[in-house]
């Protein structure tokens, strides 16, 4: 009997095979689909990758061409080049221009075949010679066959492609000529395009729109002679590498990739003036699809079993993931090493919404890519001064399809960065994709360096004083326009000459080694030099020499500024000399000595190898000599003593100055370990020089010196303390019958305990309500009206009693309490002045003094704004007073702070003018309104003729500069009459009123108005 199970057994036997067959067929169909999609995805990824590579290489080439062209434009803008074409060429100018061309050849010589300067009449100068480049690429005949003046034109000469760069030379008039350069385009393309390609067997090359091949690695590597023929080279290369040239393929010209002749190819345009060519990047289809072919091989090998299919599927998934990660890693690497921020954005209405931003933005701006919003968010980060520029650029982007601009952006930490932005709309298939690709490059360092250079050059060139820069060998490197105006010599006549050249001077002051030794030790020197103009006329020059050091402390340059004291600036120079030099001895006076000491201490603060010794000398029993000989012979004695001290001190590079009636101050610098011995040796020589008999008016005078020595930093770190220490040591020498000089010791400073007590009590003064303000009226001399008052700080301590401002103000400044106390003074004065109109006083101006520490505070302007707002005092009724030294320190910061105050309507006065070293012409450049003559000049008007001359000069020059003048310290009718006669605007002093408490001041003003 036939078995019914047999068929069943056969069915069951073939069923797994049938199922396996179905599975294999289904898997094959599925894998075929996966293979197709994978192939398309791989091609798309590879296409985008070579598109990006082509864009990056084209952008690098565009920037490189721009850099070379900018180099020629810088040469064309150089003043020496313009002078050579405008005024005619002489040997010196040609050497200067030759130097510029040589510099360009030295920097860019590998790619720059030739550079030349031409005028309408022909070639003026060329590098490397009049016959142009003697190399293999540019014979002299090439220039004569080129298209003159066509910028960026591409030529093929001797089988090499060159770019002709032109930069016109032009001042305010018509073009003077041009600077031309020939750039080896093939060498540049080889350098930029010949690097490693992302796909093995791939190439990067450059081609013109008409199909002319500019460079291809195969042709260069094989030294193909047919490259010299444009059309034949393209055809030959196309045949050899298996692709067609780009002309006629619009999708490739627009930057899209395509697959043609077993190659994946993409082009990126390079636009250079009216020239246009393309950078092409290719990859063999076999290399791009190699992963896909491997996948097919694996399918065939493992397709026999279902397990194999599963394993293969898993392997394919892993492979695809790794391949994707590798592609992303490669793209991230390219973006990471790029100095620019690469981004992509979608155009939505009138906004740009970013879809991708490279991580470089963290380094440049501090923002994470995820923090970026749309273009309106970006506009808020743009500096307000540049926002309109950025808004306008968005419209230009839609019209032109491409925008390049530079503007300022605030980073995440508030820093301002200069960015160069390049934007371009992405085009596909004859239309826009609605997306934009861009790059942001940080050019802050370049912009700031260029701005600093322009500022320094402008300051140097437009200074009214004669200015020079010398090298370490004392030879002239540069002069400004004032030099030519004052001397008559042009820059090219004087540059390179020694500053001590006898042809330009009547004295040997610059040949005096003592001057240069002082520069080495002190850092600066001032004095008068007699020079000669080009016409032979002799003139006097007040010279300031300053040494410039490098980071290691070595002198690299000197700066020299000179004031022609023989002409229009003589009055100001005379005023400067009267204020800084002693009339009797001719030595620097106290003001200049203390200023020089402060400079030495400041420059010495960062050095561990040097120190300063201060020697305070007192003429023994001079008052008795004065009573015996009278004032005339006493002054002669002082002059002779000053000469002897100067002869002893000057050869050592020190400074001798007259400090007081019968006292002198000597400043000496040496290394720290030798300074005590050098100071002792100097003190001994000073004593010996004065102890020698002094012939005077047919008689011989015998006297001696008492010298006190103090050394930094042991005896003090600021000018005031070190001088006081030296004076204290001098008193010890005076009290001794044995020694003539003495070093300062700590037990001499009993006054230090008093100073410490003052500081400790001052720290509680604000809380204990022991500080108060007194007001001294300011009177208009024209009609006697009250125009304002100066607020003066007073302190009456419970333990110390009344303390003089001359004592506690320096303590407050040194301890740092001055900022808190100054803020209190400002707030109290403004609050009191705001109530004057209601009290019947009137809308008077109130003057408040600012210390240097207050003025340098970053919160000064904010504090003033707050006080004016809370007190209700109008800004125009507040006048802030700063000292002459404060106005002269850190000129850039000073001008910025004063400008901010002036913009609010606040007036600024320079207090105690005449006691420092400020120049009126310099102060005129600062935004100040008022000059206050120091009380020392006013109080000595009746006894010191020199004080009257100084006051008269300050009033005259201040009015010339448009400044108001207030005189302090008017105590007698004679003072007031003199100041009124000389045209002083306002006055304050005991003649009208002492400083009064607030309530007494209000009563005084009301009574004066009522009377």
């Amino acid at each position: 009997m036939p078995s019914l199970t047999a068929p069943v057994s056969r069915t069951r036997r073939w069923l797994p095979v049938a199922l396996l067959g179905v599975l294999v067929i289904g898997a094959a169909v599925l894998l075929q689909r996966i293979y197709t999609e994978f192939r398309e995805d791989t091609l798309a990824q590879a296409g985008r990758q070579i598109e990006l590579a082509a864009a990056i290489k084209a952008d690098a080439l565009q920037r490189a061409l721009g850099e070379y062209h900018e180099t020629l434009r810088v040469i064309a803008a150089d003043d020496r080049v313009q002078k050579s074409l405008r005024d005619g060429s002489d040997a010196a100018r040609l050497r200067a221009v030759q130097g510029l061309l040589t510099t360009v050849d030295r920097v860019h010589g590998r790619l720059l075949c030739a550079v030349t300067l031409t005028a309408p009449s022909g070639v003026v100068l060329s590098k490397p010679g009049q016959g142009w480049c003697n190399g293999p690429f540019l014979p002299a005949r090439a220039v004569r066959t080129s298209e003159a003046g066509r910028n960026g034109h591409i030529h093929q000469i001797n089988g090499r492609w060159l770019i002709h760069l032109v930069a016109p030379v032009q001042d305010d008039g018509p073009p003077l000529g041009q600077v031309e350069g020939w750039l080896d385009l093939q060498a540049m393309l080889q350098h930029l395009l010949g690097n490693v390609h992302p796909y093995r067997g791939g190439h990067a090359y450059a081609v013109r729109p008409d199909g002319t091949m500019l460079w291809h690695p195969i042709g260069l590597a094989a030294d193909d002679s047919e490259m010299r023929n444009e059309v034949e080279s393209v055809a030959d290369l196309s045949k050899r590498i298996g692709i067609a040239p780009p002309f006629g393929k619009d999708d490739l010209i627009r930057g899209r990739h395509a697959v043609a002749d077993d190659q994946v190819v993409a082009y990126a345009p390079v636009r250079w003036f009216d020239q246009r060519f393309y950078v092409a990047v290719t990859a063999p289809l076999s290399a791009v699809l190699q992963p896909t072919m491997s996948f097919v091989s694996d399918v065939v090998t493992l397709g026999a079993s279902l397990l194999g299919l599963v394993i293969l599927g898993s392997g394919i998934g892993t492979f695809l993931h790794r391949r994707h990660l590798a592609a992303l890693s490669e793209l991230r690497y390219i973006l990471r090493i790029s100095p620019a921020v690469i981004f992509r954005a979608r155009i939505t209405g009138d906004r740009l919404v970013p879809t991708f931003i490279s991580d470089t933005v963290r380094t440049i701006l501090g923002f994470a890519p995820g923090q970026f919003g749309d273009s309106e968010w970006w506009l808020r980060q743009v500096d307000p001064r540049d926002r309109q520029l950025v808004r306008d650029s968005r419209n230009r982007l839609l019209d032109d399809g491409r925008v390049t601009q530079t503007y300022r952006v605030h980073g995440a930490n508030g820093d301002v960065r200069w960015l160069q932005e390049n934007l371009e709309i992405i085009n596909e298939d004859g239309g826009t994709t609605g997306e934009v690709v861009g790059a942001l490059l940080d050019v802050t360092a370049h912009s700031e360096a260029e701005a600093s250079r322009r500022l320094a050059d402008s300051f140097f060139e437009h200074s009214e004083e004669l200015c020079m820069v010398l090298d370490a060998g004392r030879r002239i490197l540069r002069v400004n326009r004032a030099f030519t105006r004052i001397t008559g010599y042009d820059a090219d006549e004087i540059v390179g000459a020694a500053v001590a050249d006898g042809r330009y001077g009547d004295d040997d002051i610059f040949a005096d080694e003592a001057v240069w030794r002082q520069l080495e030790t002190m850092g600066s020197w001032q004095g008068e030099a007699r020079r000669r103009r080009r016409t032979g006329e002799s003139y006097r020059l007040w010279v300031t020499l300053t040494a410039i050091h490098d980071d290691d402390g070595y002198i690299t340059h000197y700066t020299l500024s000179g004031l022609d004291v023989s002409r229009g600036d003589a009055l100001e120079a005379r005023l400067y000399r009267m204020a800084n030099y002693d009339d009797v001895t001719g030595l620097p006076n106290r003001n200049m000595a203390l200023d020089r000491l402060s400079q030495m201490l400041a420059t010495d603060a960062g050095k561990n190898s040097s120190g300063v010794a201060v020697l305070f000398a007192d003429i023994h029993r001079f008052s008795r000599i004065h009573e015996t000989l009278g004032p005339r012979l006493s002054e002669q004695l002082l002059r002779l003593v000053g000469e002897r001290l100067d002869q002893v001190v000057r050869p050592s590079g020190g400074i001798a100055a007259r400090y007081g009636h019968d006292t002198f101050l000597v400043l000496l610098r040496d290394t720290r370990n030798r300074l005590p011995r050098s100071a002792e040796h100097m003190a001994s020589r000073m004593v010996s020089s004065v102890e020698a008999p002094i012939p005077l008016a047919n008689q011989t005078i015998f006297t001696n010196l008492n010298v006190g020595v103090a050394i930094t930093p042991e005896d003090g770190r600021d000018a005031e303390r070190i001088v006081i220490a030296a004076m204290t040591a001098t008193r010890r020498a005076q009290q001794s019958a044995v020694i003539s000089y003495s070093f300062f010791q700590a037990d001499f400073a009993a006054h230090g305990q008093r100073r410490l007590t003052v500081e400790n009590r001052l720290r509680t003064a604000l809380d204990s309500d022991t500080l108060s303000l007194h007001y001294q009226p300011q009177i208009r001399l024209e009609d006697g009206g009250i125009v304002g008052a100066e607020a003066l700080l007073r302190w009456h301590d419970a333990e110390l009693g009344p303390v003089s401002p001359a004592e506690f103000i320096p303590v407050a400044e040194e301890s740092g309490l001055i900022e808190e106390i100054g803020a209190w003074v400002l707030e109290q004065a403004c609050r009191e002045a705001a109530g004057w109109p209601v009290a019947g006083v009137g809308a008077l101006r109130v003057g408040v003094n600012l210390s240097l520490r207050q003025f340098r505070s970053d919160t000064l302007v904010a504090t003033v704004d707050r006080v004016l707002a809370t007190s209700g005092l109008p800004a125009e009724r507040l006048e802030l007073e700063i000292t002459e030294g404060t106005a002269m320190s850190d000129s850039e910061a000073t001008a910025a702070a004063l400008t901010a105050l002036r913009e609010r309507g606040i007036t600024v006065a320079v207090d105690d003018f005449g006691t420092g070293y400020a120049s009126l012409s310099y102060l005129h450049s600062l935004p100040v309104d008022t000059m206050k003559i120091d009380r020392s000049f006013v109080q000595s008007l009746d006894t010191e003729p020199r004080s009257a001359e100084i006051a008269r000069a300050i009033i005259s020059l201040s009015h010339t500069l448009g400044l108001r003048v207030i005189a302090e310290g008017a105590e007698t009718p004679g003072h007031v009459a003199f100041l009124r006669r000389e045209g002083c605007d306002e006055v304050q002093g005991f003649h009208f009123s002492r400083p009064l408490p607030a309530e007494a001041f209000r009563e005084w003003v009301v009574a004066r108005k009522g009377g």
Side-chain angles (χ1 to χ4, degrees):
M1 173 181 288
S3 174
L4 297 176
T5 61
V8 175
S9 298
R10 287 194 298 270
T11 301
R12 290 178 177 175
R13 190 168 56 246
W14 288 102
L15 182 58
V17 177
L19 292 176
L20 181 61
V22 172
L23 290 174
V24 169
I25 294 173
V29 173
L30 178 62
L31 291 176
Q32 173 64 31
R33 183 174 179 180
I34 293 176
Y35 163 74
T36 302
E37 293 179 356
F38 177 69
R39 182 180 185 276
E40 294 175 356
D41 182 66
T42 302
L43 287 176
Q45 290 185 32
R48 288 192 294 271
Q49 189 171 351
I50 65 172
E51 285 176 25
L52 179 60
I56 291 177
K57 292 177 183 294
D59 184 66
L61 181 58
Q62 189 86 42
R63 289 198 307 271
L65 291 173
E67 290 174 0
Y68 284 109
H69 189 235
E70 182 62 24
T71 300
L72 297 187
R73 292 177 60 189
V74 170
I75 296 176
D78 192 275
D79 187 58
R80 294 167 289 183
V81 173
Q82 296 180 1
K83 280 188 176 181
S84 297
L85 295 180
R86 184 179 59 248
D87 304 332
S89 301
D90 55 20
R93 290 175 179 158
L94 287 178
R95 283 196 303 272
V97 177
Q98 182 74 21
L100 287 175
L101 302 187
T102 302
T103 301
V104 175
D105 180 68
R106 186 182 302 115
V107 175
H108 303 300
R110 187 171 64 85
L111 299 178
L112 198 61
C113 290
V115 61
T116 183
L117 175 65
T118 62
S121 58
V123 176
V124 175
L125 189 65
S126 64
K127 179 62 187 174
Q130 189 65 34
W132 292 78
C133 182
N134 294 321
F137 306 136
L138 189 63
R141 60 182 176 79
V143 178
R144 295 190 292 270
T145 60
S146 68
E147 295 183 44
R150 185 175 179 184
N151 203 349
H153 190 64
I154 299 177
H155 302 266
Q156 187 184 41
I157 300 175
N158 288 354
R160 302 290 289 188
W161 288 101
L162 307 178
I163 288 185
H164 184 201
L165 304 179
V166 178
V169 179
Q170 187 171 7
D171 54 10
D172 296 332
L176 304 174
Q178 58 191 22
V179 178
E180 301 180 60
W182 292 84
L183 190 65
D184 189 345
L185 180 59
Q186 282 193 223
M188 178 182 289
L189 293 171
Q190 182 179 3
H191 173 70
L192 295 176
L193 305 183
N195 52 3
V196 178
H197 194 276
Y199 286 98
R200 180 177 298 177
H203 301 292
Y205 62 94
V207 63
R208 302 181 76 175
D210 60 357
T212 303
M213 190 69 64
L214 297 177
W215 180 84
H216 194 284
I218 294 179
L220 291 178
D223 194 19
D224 191 352
S225 60
E226 292 184 4
M227 288 289 289
R228 304 186 180 206
N229 186 294
E230 300 173 358
V231 178
E232 292 180 6
S233 296
V234 174
D236 179 69
L237 284 173
S238 300
K239 179 180 179 181
R240 287 163 58 185
I241 67 177
I243 68 169
F247 43 87
K249 294 184 178 292
D250 293 340
D251 55 339
L252 296 183
I253 295 299
R254 288 192 295 273
R256 291 292 305 274
H257 72 275
V259 179
D261 300 327
D262 296 329
Q263 295 280 335
V264 181
V265 59
Y267 289 84
V270 177
R271 299 178 180 88
W272 185 247
F273 292 93
D274 60 345
Q275 298 294 303
R276 178 171 176 163
F277 55 93
Y278 302 91
V279 172
V281 178
T282 69
L285 192 61
S286 59
V288 173
L289 295 179
Q290 183 179 0
T292 305
M293 301 307 297
S294 299
F295 166 71
V296 173
S297 176
D298 291 341
V299 170
V300 173
T301 303
L302 302 178
S305 68
L306 182 60
L307 179 62
L309 291 174
V310 173
I311 295 174
L312 181 60
S314 176
I316 291 174
T318 303
F319 171 79
L320 289 174
H321 180 66
R322 290 178 179 176
R323 182 63 183 174
H324 181 67
L325 291 179
L328 289 177
S329 176
E330 186 172 2
L331 180 59
R332 290 193 189 100
Y333 176 76
I334 294 174
L335 295 176
R336 186 168 60 251
I337 64 174
S338 173
V341 178
I342 307 298
F343 63 92
R344 188 167 181 150
R346 183 177 63 256
I347 302 175
T348 304
D350 58 348
R351 298 189 178 191
L352 298 179
V353 179
T355 57
F356 168 79
I357 300 175
S358 65
D359 206 52
T360 311
V361 72
R362 296 180 186 269
T363 305
I364 296 179
L365 294 176
F367 291 113
Q371 293 179 266
F372 271 70
D374 59 13
S375 55
E376 289 301 317
W377 177 90
W378 176 251
L379 197 61
R380 291 194 294 272
Q381 317 309 317
V382 175
D383 189 90
R385 293 167 289 184
D386 297 331
R387 285 177 184 170
Q388 190 59 44
L389 170 69
V390 176
R391 288 193 186 97
D392 296 341
S393 70
R394 300 301 181 242
N395 297 329
R396 297 201 312 272
L397 175 65
L398 297 176
D399 294 338
D400 302 337
R402 184 185 181 97
V403 168
T404 299
Q405 60 190 351
T406 303
Y407 54 88
R408 289 159 288 194
V409 174
H410 293 260
N413 59 357
D415 292 343
V416 178
R417 314 295 298 175
W418 280 93
L419 300 183
Q420 178 180 321
E421 181 183 55
N422 294 276
L423 292 173
E424 185 168 355
I425 295 177
I426 302 174
N427 296 313
E428 290 183 359
D429 299 329
T432 64
T433 62
E435 289 190 308
V436 173
V437 65
L440 294 170
L441 185 64
D442 186 358
V443 293
T444 304
H446 174 75
S447 298
E448 291 179 349
E450 184 65 19
S452 297
R453 184 192 65 79
R454 288 196 301 267
L455 181 61
D457 286 347
S458 177
F459 179 82
F460 182 85
E461 287 296 334
H462 295 90
S463 174
E464 289 299 318
E465 294 187 357
L466 177 151
C467 295
M468 294 186 196
V469 178
L470 314 177
D471 61 17
R474 308 174 193 172
R475 291 191 172 274
I476 301 171
L477 296 179
R478 185 179 178 185
V479 296
N480 67 345
R481 298 175 184 175
F483 175 90
T484 301
R485 175 174 53 80
I486 293 173
T487 67
Y489 289 102
D490 290 332
D492 53 4
E493 297 178 89
I494 198 76
V495 169
V499 70
D501 193 327
R503 293 176 296 174
Y504 310 114
D506 292 336
D507 55 22
D508 58 351
I509 192 68
F510 295 123
D512 188 350
E513 289 301 321
V515 172
W516 302 100
R517 281 196 299 272
Q518 179 175 330
L519 272 171
E520 293 176 1
T521 56
M522 305 295 184
S524 64
W525 176 88
Q526 284 188 326
E528 187 175 289
R530 188 170 295 276
R531 312 297 284 167
R532 283 201 305 273
R533 308 186 201 275
R534 185 187 184 94
T535 60
E537 175 191 357
S538 178
Y539 67 99
R540 292 180 301 113
L541 194 67
W542 184 252
V543 174
T544 299
L545 271 170
T546 305
I548 307 299
H549 299 78
D550 60 15
D551 293 338
D552 297 324
Y554 294 102
I555 294 177
T556 60
H557 296 84
Y558 300 95
T559 61
L560 182 153
S561 62
L563 187 65
D564 184 359
V565 297
S566 60
R567 290 196 173 179
D569 296 327
L571 181 58
E572 185 174 348
R574 183 183 177 191
L575 174 62
Y576 177 86
R577 184 165 183 83
M578 286 191 298
N580 292 280
Y581 283 85
D582 179 54
D583 288 342
V584 176
T585 64
L587 297 175
N589 63 10
R590 177 187 304 188
N591 292 333
M592 178 168 281
L594 293 178
D595 174 60
R596 291 292 179 268
L597 176 58
S598 297
Q599 291 183 20
M600 293 168 68
L601 294 175
T603 57
D604 199 47
K607 300 179 182 179
N608 297 321
S609 60
S610 62
V612 179
V614 176
L615 293 83
F616 191 88
D618 174 77
I619 301 178
H620 188 54
R621 299 179 303 169
F622 181 78
S623 59
R624 183 177 300 177
I625 296 174
H626 183 271
E627 293 172 359
T628 303
L629 298 179
R632 185 176 63 83
L633 292 180
S634 297
E635 288 187 354
Q636 293 184 21
L637 175 62
L638 286 171
R639 183 163 50 252
L640 293 173
V641 171
E643 289 177 356
R644 291 187 178 188
L645 293 178
D646 189 54
Q647 291 172 359
V648 170
V649 173
R650 186 181 176 118
S652 299
I655 294 178
R658 186 183 178 191
Y659 192 81
H661 180 57
D662 58 350
T663 57
F664 295 85
L665 195 70
V666 171
L667 308 179
L668 184 67
R669 173 177 279 171
D670 206 337
T671 58
R672 293 262 168 88
N673 56 346
R674 297 189 341 195
L675 188 58
R677 180 173 298 179
S678 298
E680 183 177 14
H681 179 65
M682 179 60 68
S684 177
R685 292 184 60 196
M686 291 167 58
V687 171
S688 298
S689 68
V690 177
E691 284 180 344
I694 302 176
L696 186 67
N698 299 323
Q699 56 182 315
T700 301
I701 303 299
F702 292 90
T703 187
N704 62 340
L705 286 180
N706 295 307
V707 181
V709 183
I711 295 177
T712 64
E714 293 85 351
D715 301 333
R717 295 181 179 273
D718 60 74
E720 179 185 5
R721 285 193 173 186
I722 195 67
V723 171
I724 291 175
M727 295 172 66
T728 304
T730 303
R731 286 194 295 271
R732 180 172 181 268
Q734 291 171 337
Q735 296 166 2
S736 173
V738 179
I739 61 174
S740 296
Y741 59 87
S742 171
F743 281 79
F744 173 79
Q745 296 180 15
D747 56 3
F748 297 166
H751 70 284
Q753 183 61 42
R754 165 74 176 182
R755 189 180 187 89
L756 181 60
T757 302
V758 169
E759 180 179 341
N760 291 335
R761 298 295 301 170
L762 190 60
R763 291 185 181 277
T764 63
L766 284 176
D767 295 334
S768 59
D769 198 24
T770 57
L771 293 175
S772 63
L773 290 184
H774 286 199
Y775 298 88
Q776 186 172 39
Q778 295 172 334
I779 309 299
R780 185 170 51 238
L781 285 176
E782 182 180 3
D783 55 8
I786 306 172
V787 292
E790 181 179 3
L792 300 171
L793 183 62
R794 295 293 183 264
W795 181 30
H796 193 287
D797 185 70
E799 294 183 6
L800 301 176
V803 184
S804 169
E807 181 179 7
F808 74 79
I809 291 297
V811 175
E813 290 181 340
E814 182 179 345
S815 62
L817 295 171
I818 193 66
E819 288 194 50
E820 183 179 0
I821 294 175
W824 179 87
V825 170
L826 179 63
E827 186 172 352
Q828 189 73 13
C830 290
R831 184 182 298 112
E832 178 68 26
W836 285 347
V838 178
V841 175
L844 303 182
R845 181 184 67 238
V846 61
V848 179
N849 291 279
L850 294 179
S851 68
L852 176 60
R853 187 186 291 267
Q854 278 183 278
F855 189 73
R856 288 288 171 263
S857 173
D858 294 336
T859 61
L860 171 63
V861 177
T863 300
V864 173
D865 289 340
R866 177 182 57 80
V867 170
L868 291 177
T870 56
S871 66
L873 180 70
E876 59 269 14
R877 288 181 54 203
L878 175 62
E879 182 166 75
L880 297 178
E881 301 183 9
I882 60 174
T883 64
E884 186 177 352
T886 300
M888 292 297 293
S889 63
D890 194 356
S891 59
E892 184 175 349
T894 298
L898 294 179
T899 299
L901 294 172
R902 283 281 298 278
E903 288 175 349
R904 288 158 171 77
I906 300 168
T907 58
V908 179
V910 178
D911 198 12
D912 300 335
F913 185 75
T915 60
Y917 52 89
S919 164
L920 277 172
S921 60
Y922 166 75
L923 290 176
H924 180 54
S925 65
L926 295 178
V928 298
D929 306 275
T930 306
M931 204 67 63
K932 300 190 72 173
I933 304 175
D934 185 66
R935 66 179 65 252
S936 62
F937 297 125
V938 177
Q939 291 173 349
S940 59
L941 286 175
D942 300 331
T943 59
E944 291 287 343
R946 189 166 66 94
S947 296
E949 293 182 19
I950 293 175
R952 185 180 294 112
I954 293 175
I955 294 171
S956 175
L957 289 175
S958 296
H959 285 166
T960 301
L961 298 176
L963 303 177
R964 189 173 78 252
V965 182
I966 301 178
E968 298 179 301
E971 298 182 353
T972 67
H975 296 166
V976 176
F978 173 85
L979 294 170
R980 181 181 289 112
R981 184 172 60 252
E982 296 301 327
C984 184
D985 299 298
E986 299 172 14
V987 68
Q988 66 185 80
F990 288 0
H991 176 71
F992 297 97
S993 173
R994 292 177 176 273
L996 301 172
E999 184 176 354
F1001 171 75
R1002 292 194 297 268
E1003 294 174 354
W1004 183 89
V1005 174
V1006 172
R1008 183 179 175 91
K1009 286 185 175 181

